Amino acid sequence: MSIVNNLERRLDNWVGFTDSHLQTTLAVILSGLLLAECFLFLRIQLATGYETSIVESLPSTYWLLFYTILAGSIVLLFFAGATGTTFWRHGLALLLANYLIYMFLPVARGYKLYGRGEADKLRHLGDVQAIVETGGLPGIWYPGEHVLMAELHMLGLPLTSTQYGINFAFTLLHIVAIGAVVRLFSQRRESIAAGLAVGAPLLYTTFHLSAHPAILSFMLLPVVLLVLERYRQTNEKTYLLLLVTLGLAVIYMHPMTTLFMIGMITVTAAYSILYRGIFDSSIKTLSLRLGALFLPLQFIWLQGFRQTEVSMYNMFGPDKGSSPAAQELAKATSVSFTPVQLAWKFVDLYGSVFLYFLTAGLFLVIILVAFLRRNNRYDWGLSATHFMAGVTLAVLFLLRDLVVKGHIRLSRYAILFAAVAIGMLILHIFERQRSYLIVLSALVVLLAAGLGAQAAYEPNRHLTHAEYDGTQYVSTKYNLEEPVYSMDTSHKMKEFVLSSNHDRLWPRGITTENNVPDGLGYTGPDVRAADTYGSAYLVTKTYDRKRHTASHYTPEQQEFLFRYGESHLNQLERDSTANKVYVNGGYTAWRVSPQVDEDIAE
């Protein structure tokens, strides 16, 4: 105990020192590092061809600066929260400027787009193009984000760059809103620093860069929660009007987020009623009818769209096969991993979320003990209730194919309230003034921030200009009655290069079902391309031959993912049933037919 007390005494002295000296010095140093980072950003060279990882393509100096500023800004937020200064503003500004540069790295690297082949953003950008071209909504049942991006594009921002600005804007809003929620819950001015700190990590990892409406719209929920709690506390009609306005915006942006919002309002109302009846009769409550208000509004908006019927069938219709959990398990077991490799993959993909879930779970134990001791804090119980509701929803979604697979996306409600709960925990630690616990909580947030940023940029997401130009050429020229075989390329790519309003969009033609077989289909010396593909089109690109080389994969995965090499391309060159009809250096299109003289439609 003497060792712990001695350590705590030294930490107390150090934290006291930071109140008057270190925070100013730290802010100045981090500002200088940010200027250096901006200089490096402006000097980033354009990619000369397809690259498997944007992370590995950048100099290590940049990443050293990025993670130093990320860690330093969070530490500055913790210092401000622990000592009650206003340096949280400096920490927030540094954090956001750091993330702004980080999210525009694909632009500096010269990518046509960060996201290729099967990425959902391809379809959404195709919808944006259709809005710009027609001035209407091409059957989009959640057009909020699309309309916003179309407006930015019409104001002069390049179409492919709008997604990076949108990603940053909603991430900024999410971080600030979490800080404001923790501040409102605690009713302490300095607590905003703790809220900003716990909101700082990119907890949705790659979704912070995907411009996906389901996640971007969800980032509005902390704002809704903030207004909802203000309305409960004050009962002012202004907040009710603002809540309805935000609710309409969420309905316009995504139907699943609307259901999350309705659930959040209903849980908050039910908790306030129960808390008032059991613990404190002076607590103001919300009406359960408030959440139900948005159900008819959502029905009125969605009932005219065909996609509503399709989604309802997918949710409640007959079993469609394996659940997302089973699909993920099958994918994971397609290649064997050692226990160390498996553990590292888990940390790499879900480390930040797992760390937050574990910390929030520990806080639940503290809350339970506090309630058993009659220390019934409304804000603690509310954050714990929402977190447990989120975990329950994540488990249900995982076991039943209610939404698309993706553990982060399934768990987003629990992730949000894990962050809020950890903010409340850190404030509790500040109240107890135990310096070693402050340091420990800061390390948790720092580790989560590092893991989140490290996981956000995935391998093999580089859409080259060559692949874009080639896909656009093929999409406008090929015979619509015949398939196009292109590796890891979906109909979404066709929507992106043509727009979702183009008259050649259907029939699909380019789909993931028409993937390129192993060895380009050359299973023997006498096999011809026409024997494998019939009368069709075949695409070969640099991506096909480089994707398996990403260092993200283990040697076993690289061997499993290998599709074809130069020897197979040479065999295709000699094949009398395959004619090269388009080539631009990184993308080659072939017309495959038993008739040698057939060519692509002009």
Side-chain angles (χ1 to χ4, degrees), residues 133 254 386 427 531 549:
E133 293 169 0
H254 202 274
H386 279 296
L427 289 178
D531 299 330
T549 64

Side-chain angles (χ1 to χ4, degrees), residues 301-449:
W301 169 253
L302 295 178
Q303 58 89 24
F305 292 95
R306 180 179 177 274
Q307 187 61 37
T308 303
E309 180 182 345
V310 174
S311 297
M312 294 298 290
Y313 179 82
N314 289 337
M315 291 174 65
F316 303 109
D319 190 8
K320 300 174 292 301
S322 58
S323 69
Q327 294 171 21
E328 291 292 296
L329 182 61
K331 183 184 295 186
T333 55
S334 61
V335 176
S336 60
F337 294 98
T338 66
V340 174
Q341 289 174 335
L342 195 60
W344 174 246
K345 290 292 182 185
F346 178 82
V347 171
D348 182 40
L349 294 173
Y350 309 116
S352 58
V353 172
F354 176 77
L355 196 60
Y356 262 42
F357 278 9
L358 181 62
T359 307
L362 292 175
F363 188 45
L364 290 184
V365 176
I366 296 175
I367 294 173
L368 178 60
V369 172
F371 269 68
L372 291 175
R373 293 177 176 177
R374 302 297 182 182
N375 182 16
N376 310 315
R377 293 184 53 168
Y378 180 88
D379 52 349
W380 283 17
L382 181 60
S383 60
T385 301
H386 279 296
F387 175 65
M388 289 187 292
V391 171
T392 302
L393 284 174
V395 172
L396 292 176
F397 287 160
L398 187 65
L399 296 179
R400 175 63 182 168
D401 192 10
L402 293 180
V403 293
V404 295
K405 66 181 186 298
H407 298 331
I408 299 295
R409 185 172 171 182
L410 296 174
S411 307
R412 57 191 183 272
Y413 193 91
I415 292 171
L416 168 61
F417 284 99
V420 174
I422 294 173
M424 305 307 295
L425 172 62
I426 291 173
L427 289 178
H428 178 58
I429 293 173
F430 286 169
E431 290 172 358
R432 297 186 64 187
Q433 297 183 344
R434 305 299 291 268
S435 297
Y436 73 94
L437 291 177
I438 295 176
V439 172
L440 183 61
S441 61
L443 290 176
V444 168
V445 176
L446 287 171
L447 183 56

Side-chain angles (χ1 to χ4, degrees), residues 253-269:
M253 293 191 70
H254 202 274
M256 197 65 196
T257 303
T258 304
L259 295 179
F260 278 124
M261 180 188 70
I262 293 172
M264 183 181 72
I265 294 173
T266 303
V267 169
T268 303

Side-chain angles (χ1 to χ4, degrees), residues 340-574:
V340 174
Q341 289 174 335
L342 195 60
W344 174 246
K345 290 292 182 185
F346 178 82
V347 171
D348 182 40
L349 294 173
Y350 309 116
S352 58
V353 172
F354 176 77
L355 196 60
Y356 262 42
F357 278 9
L358 181 62
T359 307
L362 292 175
F363 188 45
L364 290 184
V365 176
I366 296 175
I367 294 173
L368 178 60
V369 172
F371 269 68
L372 291 175
R373 293 177 176 177
R374 302 297 182 182
N375 182 16
N376 310 315
R377 293 184 53 168
Y378 180 88
D379 52 349
W380 283 17
L382 181 60
S383 60
T385 301
H386 279 296
F387 175 65
M388 289 187 292
V391 171
T392 302
L393 284 174
V395 172
L396 292 176
F397 287 160
L398 187 65
L399 296 179
R400 175 63 182 168
D401 192 10
L402 293 180
V403 293
V404 295
K405 66 181 186 298
H407 298 331
I408 299 295
R409 185 172 171 182
L410 296 174
S411 307
R412 57 191 183 272
Y413 193 91
I415 292 171
L416 168 61
F417 284 99
V420 174
I422 294 173
M424 305 307 295
L425 172 62
I426 291 173
L427 289 178
H428 178 58
I429 293 173
F430 286 169
E431 290 172 358
R432 297 186 64 187
Q433 297 183 344
R434 305 299 291 268
S435 297
Y436 73 94
L437 291 177
I438 295 176
V439 172
L440 183 61
S441 61
L443 290 176
V444 168
V445 176
L446 287 171
L447 183 56
L451 290 172
Q454 187 271 334
Y457 276 113
E458 296 181 302
N460 291 320
R461 294 294 183 267
H462 179 193
L463 177 62
T464 63
H465 291 271
E467 184 176 353
Y468 175 84
D469 294 340
T471 305
Q472 189 175 58
Y473 178 86
V474 170
S475 298
T476 55
K477 299 293 186 179
Y478 81 99
N479 183 347
L480 292 174
E481 301 301 320
E482 297 180 350
V484 178
Y485 288 85
S486 182
M487 184 170 169
D488 294 344
T489 305
S490 70
H491 186 61
K492 299 170 187 175
M493 187 69 179
K494 190 177 176 183
E495 291 185 71
F496 174 52
V497 301
L498 296 181
S499 93
S500 61
N501 194 53
H502 201 279
D503 55 5
R504 287 182 60 88
L505 197 61
W506 304 96
R508 290 175 178 267
I510 303 176
T511 69
T512 51
E513 287 76 18
N514 296 333
N515 216 335
V516 176
D518 289 341
L520 293 175
Y522 291 113
T523 57
D526 299 326
V527 175
R528 301 181 307 168
D531 299 330
T532 301
Y533 306 103
S535 184
Y537 300 88
L538 172 64
V539 170
T540 57
K541 30 188 203 302
T542 307
Y543 162 83
D544 306 351
R545 302 183 297 280
K546 291 189 69 174
R547 63 148 193 169
H548 71 284
T549 64
S551 61
H552 174 82
Y553 303 125
T554 65
E556 292 78 14
Q557 284 180 300
Q558 291 180 346
E559 181 180 356
F560 177 80
L561 292 172
F562 174 80
R563 191 58 57 93
Y564 65 86
E566 293 299 326
S567 62
H568 303 107
L569 279 177
N570 293 335
Q571 194 169 352
L572 182 63
E573 292 273 5
R574 299 189 300 267

Side-chain angles (χ1 to χ4, degrees), residues 570-585:
N570 293 335
Q571 194 169 352
L572 182 63
E573 292 273 5
R574 299 189 300 267
D575 197 319
S576 62
T577 64
N579 281 339
K580 188 182 296 183
V581 295
Y582 177 87
V583 61
N584 65 12

